[in-house]
Amino acid sequence: MAAVDTVLNEPITIALPGLARALVSAGKLGQKSAEDIYRKAQTGRTNFIAELTGSGAVSAADLAHTMSAAFAAPLLDLEAIDTQRLPKGLLDAKICQDYRVVVLSKRNNRLIVATADPSDQGAAEKIKFATQMGVDWVIAEYDKLTKMVEANATTASEAMDSIIGDDFEFDESSMDSVAAEAAEASVSEVEDAPVVKFLHKMLLDAFGMRASDLHFEPYEHTYRVRFRIDGELREIASPPIAIKDKLASRIKVISRMDISEKRVPQDGRMKLKVGPDRVIDFRVSTLPTLFGEKIVIRILDPSSAKLGIDALGYEPEEKERLLSAIGRPYGMILVTGPTGSGKTVSLYTCLNLLNKPGVNIATAEDPSEINLPGVNQVNVNEKAGLTFAAALKSFLRQDPDIIMVGEIRDLETADISIKAAQTGHLVLSTLHTNDAPTTLTRMRNMGIAPFNIASSVILITAQRLARRLCPNCKAPADIPHETLLEAGFKEEDVDGSWTPYRPVGCSMCNNGYKGRVGIYQVMPISDDIQRIILRDGSALEIAEQAQKEGVRSLRQSGLHKVKQGMTSLEEVLGCTNE
């Protein structure tokens, strides 16, 4: 009986964790102290190391040195680490918080991970399962490690969660039943509140900053968001790379794309309600890259087509030539320029002027960017066989008066467009060329006969968009006389009667610029230019004849805007060639 009493009175032996046993073996902690601290941690459901360092039994620095020696692992001072250069997205933030670990780097198929407890096999197994990679421990002081983990958690979650409130919503009423079902089925996957709020904020900020495009770009260790404002890309945000997949899925669901397909590019559209009677349209494009899907969202503002021709920046004589051409009953009008030069807005401004109840207008685009009531708009679908050429053939059976072709890309489309222009229809279209004269030689190189070009094309407009100087802060620029002459001004132009201006920058603009202004070369096809085309003349001959007829080149048109104080000389030199 006495033996039984002796056994019952003996303290119950506790199975200490590996870290505690290592401390006892090293003589840093007594067995009883280790057991007491462990019991307290178990009872209070707290972390053993937190209890250990908090009680003062072992300091964080002493613990780190002991663990480094006991487990033959390198010791690292986290204060010497630049947190901005740490890899992001390799390990879920919740695992980092639960086990108090920080991923330092990746080497081949192994992660270098900072920890205060290298004996924690549970943490090692969890990381291996989550990443499918091995783990190499580096020892760090517990207090510094905790501080870094908490800071990263705040950046990734709490900061995003408090970005904005739900003061507007996506318009999903236009989604068909199949897309709606797909969206419902995907809600659990993509409805992550911080991600939704982040996307909402980016879209609203882009609209408020008058951006034309948003770029969501994943890289190996970083993720960035850029806006194109006044034609210039600016970095706006660097969210955690861990959100890239959820953000892509959210955008794809709203845009009615296939969220399971990540290997090929996709296109879609979405709407955003920003008030009871205000809806913004967005065109969405995804592109698979090395480190995830890059997404570009184009903001489509229908009001831009209704600004009127005066708001586009045409000079009086240029405006008169354009209005005269669109007033003709038949013929072809071409608008040329690089991507993002405002061709679509120019075309739709013309269509808006022509859009009357007695006129039948049909457009074929890839895709339709601006919705215009009263105009029959068709989206080209190459996969389904609805090409520009196929759409044009159908238009001609629909009794049209005016046809707009988004882009002339091939000989077949060009031939049908020219035949339509020759048979009593007004045809508007675009081409990607540098200026108006080279457009005619480009058509010739496509295989179109000179006679057909001369008899159908009535006017060509080449254009660029230059940033407009902020009227609030622009300042006179001291530009040498020789520099003005080299830029293209004539001697009589630099007589001191006008002042060039330079950007300064203020709270009301973007680095001295606010908005954009069009630079145009409006070239009617005169009888003399027709003769040059018929004898297969060069673009240089056409340009010389256009100069004789008073048509400004793009550079000359831009310099005229400099004289008017609308833009700066460096801006014109940057967007035009001479």
Side-chain angles (χ1 to χ4, degrees), residues 10 58 117 122-123 151 159 215 249 252 330 344 346 425 453 506 568 575:
E10 282 183 3
V58 179
D117 184 5
H215 293 241
S249 295
K252 286 160 82 173
Y330 58 87
T344 301
S346 294
H425 306 91
I453 298 172
C506 66
S568 63
C575 65

Side-chain angles (χ1 to χ4, degrees), residues 13-41:
T13 302
I14 298 175
L16 292 173
L19 179 139
R21 293 198 302 272
L23 286 171
V24 172
S25 298
K28 297 293 183 181
L29 191 64
Q31 176 74 25
K32 187 174 186 307
S33 297
E35 291 179 359
D36 289 344
I37 294 169
Y38 186 62
R39 278 198 194 94
K40 190 175 179 182

Side-chain angles (χ1 to χ4, degrees), residues 445-491:
N445 291 338
M446 287 174 71
I448 304 167
F451 172 79
N452 285 331
I453 298 172
S455 63
S456 59
V457 180
I458 57 175
L459 180 131
I460 301 172
T461 296
Q463 65 182 69
R464 300 289 188 277
L465 286 178
R467 290 181 293 172
R468 190 190 292 265
L469 284 167
C470 173
N472 185 57
C473 67
K474 68 180 182 180
D478 184 15
I479 302 175
H481 184 86
E482 296 77 14
T483 304
L484 292 173
L485 293 176
E486 285 176 13
F489 283 107
K490 296 177 182 176
E491 191 67 49

Side-chain angles (χ1 to χ4, degrees), residues 27-70:
K28 297 293 183 181
L29 191 64
Q31 176 74 25
K32 187 174 186 307
S33 297
E35 291 179 359
D36 289 344
I37 294 169
Y38 186 62
R39 278 198 194 94
K40 190 175 179 182
Q42 290 287 88
T43 305
R45 295 190 177 183
T46 58
N47 184 283
F48 174 69
I49 300 180
E51 285 288 347
L52 184 68
T53 56
S55 67
V58 179
S59 69
D62 208 7
L63 173 66
H65 281 88
T66 303
M67 291 301 102
S68 176

Side-chain angles (χ1 to χ4, degrees), residues 21-343:
R21 293 198 302 272
L23 286 171
V24 172
S25 298
K28 297 293 183 181
L29 191 64
Q31 176 74 25
K32 187 174 186 307
S33 297
E35 291 179 359
D36 289 344
I37 294 169
Y38 186 62
R39 278 198 194 94
K40 190 175 179 182
Q42 290 287 88
T43 305
R45 295 190 177 183
T46 58
N47 184 283
F48 174 69
I49 300 180
E51 285 288 347
L52 184 68
T53 56
S55 67
V58 179
S59 69
D62 208 7
L63 173 66
H65 281 88
T66 303
M67 291 301 102
S68 176
F71 291 89
L75 183 65
L76 178 69
D77 182 4
L78 289 182
E79 288 184 346
I81 297 294
D82 181 2
T83 56
Q84 298 298 318
R85 299 178 68 87
L86 289 177
K88 296 177 176 62
L90 292 176
L91 187 60
D92 188 82
K94 191 172 186 309
I95 296 176
C96 293
Q97 279 186 293
D98 289 346
Y99 294 98
R100 289 292 189 268
V101 294
V102 170
V103 178
L104 299 175
S105 64
K106 178 189 171 190
R107 186 181 301 145
N108 298 325
N109 199 36
R110 300 188 69 81
L111 293 180
I112 313 302
V113 183
T115 183
D117 184 5
S119 68
D120 191 346
Q121 289 301 313
E125 292 301 323
K126 186 76 174 179
I127 295 170
K128 286 178 185 177
F129 181 79
T131 63
Q132 299 300 304
M133 286 186 274
V135 177
D136 290 331
W137 293 125
V138 171
I139 310 302
E141 294 171 42
Y142 183 75
D143 52 351
K144 295 177 182 178
L145 191 62
T146 300
K147 186 178 177 181
M148 184 175 285
V149 169
E150 293 299 335
N152 289 344
T154 299
T155 303
S157 180
E158 292 174 16
M160 284 181 59
D161 198 31
S162 61
I163 284 173
I164 57 168
D166 295 320
D167 55 348
F168 57 95
E169 60 182 355
F170 285 99
D171 178 14
E172 297 178 1
S173 59
S174 59
M175 296 175 71
D176 55 35
S177 58
V178 175
E181 286 174 15
E184 278 184 34
S186 306
V187 163
S188 60
E189 181 178 345
V190 300
E191 286 289 353
D192 186 289
V195 171
V196 172
K197 289 184 178 182
F198 178 75
L199 175 60
H200 282 188
K201 175 168 174 57
M202 288 296 100
L203 293 174
L204 194 61
D205 282 356
F207 184 71
M209 294 168 76
R210 302 180 63 84
S212 59
D213 301 87
L214 298 85
H215 293 241
F216 296 87
E217 302 169 316
Y219 297 98
E220 186 173 9
H221 302 304
T222 58
Y223 191 79
R224 72 176 176 182
V225 181
R226 293 192 292 175
F227 293 174
R228 189 176 291 280
I229 302 170
D230 295 336
E232 190 175 57
L233 275 173
R234 292 173 54 192
E235 186 166 338
I236 301 297
S238 297
I241 196 169
I243 74 165
K244 66 177 182 179
D245 292 329
K246 287 183 178 179
L247 187 60
S249 295
R250 173 66 181 166
I251 293 171
K252 286 160 82 173
V253 164
I254 301 165
S255 307
R256 288 169 282 172
M257 299 184 204
D258 182 358
I259 67 167
S260 65
E261 181 56 80
K262 300 179 182 180
R263 299 165 300 174
V264 296
Q266 295 188 65
D267 293 298
R269 293 178 74 100
M270 63 185 181
K271 295 176 182 287
L272 182 68
K273 289 181 181 177
V274 292
D277 54 357
R278 184 71 188 272
V279 177
I280 312 168
D281 285 317
F282 298 91
R283 188 182 75 194
V284 185
S285 172
T286 69
L287 179 70
T289 67
L290 283 177
F291 304 107
E293 289 181 285
K294 176 181 176 178
I295 299 173
V296 176
I297 301 178
R298 166 70 59 88
I299 299 176
L300 308 174
D301 190 0
S303 61
S304 61
K306 300 175 184 178
L307 291 173
I309 197 165
D310 294 319
L312 298 183
Y314 285 95
E315 296 299 325
E317 63 272 22
E318 295 169 346
K319 173 184 168 184
E320 187 180 340
R321 291 174 194 148
L322 182 61
L323 291 176
S324 173
I326 65 174
R328 300 265 291 269
Y330 58 87
M332 178 182 283
I333 297 170
L334 294 171
V335 180
T336 74
T339 301
S341 60
K343 299 188 297 295

